[in-house]
Amino acid sequence: SRILWAKYKQYKERLDDYLKNKKAIHGFIEASIDNRFFGRSVRDRSMSHSNFLLLPTEEQVAKTRTEPNFWKAIDKYKLTSLAKKYKWSSTMSPIRFLSLVQYCAKCLIHLFTLMRDSEVLNLPVDCLEEIRGWNDEALYLCGTSTKLESEKTDAKWITTDDIREPVQALQSI
């Protein structure tokens, strides 16, 4: 149970970090997609992007001066502490962080429901259903299962309110 508690805290910490910084993380990623020079070093811009080399010299100089490097871009989105905590080093790091958050959210769903891997992977976006039960309110996590039959059938797993954060994180990613 000590190991399970340690893993729960680890997953929850990553999920909390994501949820607190969700807008900034997505903003940073969108900016780096919209502008291939955003958050990249001068060396990366000039060596790895043939389009950069095709630009006129004046435009290359302008892009070098105006586009922030990785750490300035991180500062712009107020993600410095998160970047240091998770040792981000390039514009791909926040995208990798999203993958980590997805994994952690999925693991928390497993912990709260004991669902099998395929059941969690096949959850629809609108998978939460609030119900009134014998002990006030509860939640069903609605999806499909093949456990009792050879084909997919609708299934519901009763769970607690703690399931909302992992589901919310997965919905926003």
Side-chain angles (χ1 to χ4, degrees), residues 51-111:
N51 289 347
F52 184 80
L53 296 173
L54 296 174
L55 294 173
T57 307
E58 309 84 48
E59 223 175 306
Q60 286 181 16
V61 170
K63 290 265 185 212
T64 302
R65 288 186 184 148
T66 58
E67 299 302 332
N69 66 20
F70 176 71
W71 286 106
K72 286 181 182 172
I74 287 291
D75 284 342
K76 179 180 178 180
Y77 283 89
K78 297 176 177 40
L79 292 169
T80 306
S81 62
L82 195 65
K84 287 180 181 176
K85 181 177 181 178
Y86 292 101
K87 298 179 179 142
W88 293 357
S89 60
S90 73
T91 54
M92 285 300 297
S93 297
I95 295 168
R96 287 188 201 104
F97 181 70
L98 290 185
S99 295
L100 175 64
V101 170
Q102 284 178 310
Y103 171 77
C104 292
K106 182 177 159 295
C107 288
L108 286 171
I109 291 172
H110 286 299
L111 285 173

Side-chain angles (χ1 to χ4, degrees), residues 122-168:
N122 288 315
L123 282 172
V125 174
D126 58 342
C127 60
L128 290 177
E129 180 184 313
E130 294 183 17
I131 59 163
R132 262 190 100 65
W134 60 272
N135 193 14
D136 210 12
E137 295 197 13
L139 282 172
Y140 275 135
L141 196 61
C142 304
T144 57
S145 178
T146 57
K147 189 170 186 173
L148 300 175
E149 299 180 30
S150 60
E151 59 189 47
K152 284 186 179 183
T153 55
D154 291 340
K156 294 180 180 183
W157 291 262
I158 194 159
T159 186
T160 65
D161 213 38
D162 294 325
I163 199 77
R164 288 185 190 275
E165 281 185 351
V167 170
Q168 177 189 3

